[in-house]
Amino acid sequence: MASSARGQANHCLYLARILIAAWRRDCEAQNLPASILAQAFLPAVQSQLRSAYGWFLLDITREESLPAEPPPCCEALPPQPQGKVLPAEIAECRQLEREGWLAELLAPPAQPSAARNPENLATGPAPGSPEQAAAWADSLQRMFDRMGDSLDEY
């Protein structure tokens, strides 16, 4: 496992893509309803993508002492040393956390319906699809690449 924040971010993104591929395969096999597969895969994919984002935030701020777990959002970042200014990329991340695809990704998972079919113990349909998850992963990758390139210039 990678020891740098960016390495951790890339590793989590890689794991999310493996989960998305498995989710797609299971959807194509049609052995289980899509709503059940979403309940199984969506939380795991979101967890990996959220971790990838948190590790990337630490990379943006050039955090040298990495915590055991990444921060869930900009507000949870460790305080910056006296005199050190947060990079402009953090302002962009804060905006994305409030609205758009990143806000959607970071939102608490929707609770499935409490209604149950007595023959099926799983609850009602869960939001999400492998396509939505792949779009989140692709958006994170583009953000990592774009911001990473500008950070590497400094």
Side-chain angles (χ1 to χ4, degrees), residues 88-149:
E89 287 81 1
I90 294 296
E92 180 180 342
C93 289
R94 281 189 175 126
Q95 178 63 33
L96 289 170
E97 287 177 7
R98 286 191 291 273
E99 58 187 317
W101 68 269
L102 189 55
E104 208 175 83
L105 170 63
L106 298 177
Q111 294 299 315
S113 167
R116 291 181 182 226
N117 176 339
E119 296 176 14
N120 184 350
L121 295 179
T123 56
S129 67
E131 292 72 28
Q132 178 188 37
W136 288 335
D138 292 345
S139 294
L140 271 178
Q141 185 67 63
R142 283 190 300 275
M143 184 173 76
F144 289 3
D145 292 345
R146 181 178 49 80
M147 288 184 178
D149 287 347

Side-chain angles (χ1 to χ4, degrees), residues 30-64:
Q30 297 183 350
N31 292 327
L32 292 169
S35 63
I36 301 298
L37 293 173
Q39 290 175 47
F41 282 103
L42 183 62
V45 171
Q46 278 186 292
S47 177
Q48 290 296 336
L49 293 174
R50 289 173 180 158
S51 291
Y53 175 66
W55 289 120
F56 189 69
L57 289 176
L58 292 171
D59 185 55
I60 290 171
T61 60
R62 307 281 188 200
E63 187 65 35
E64 292 180 16

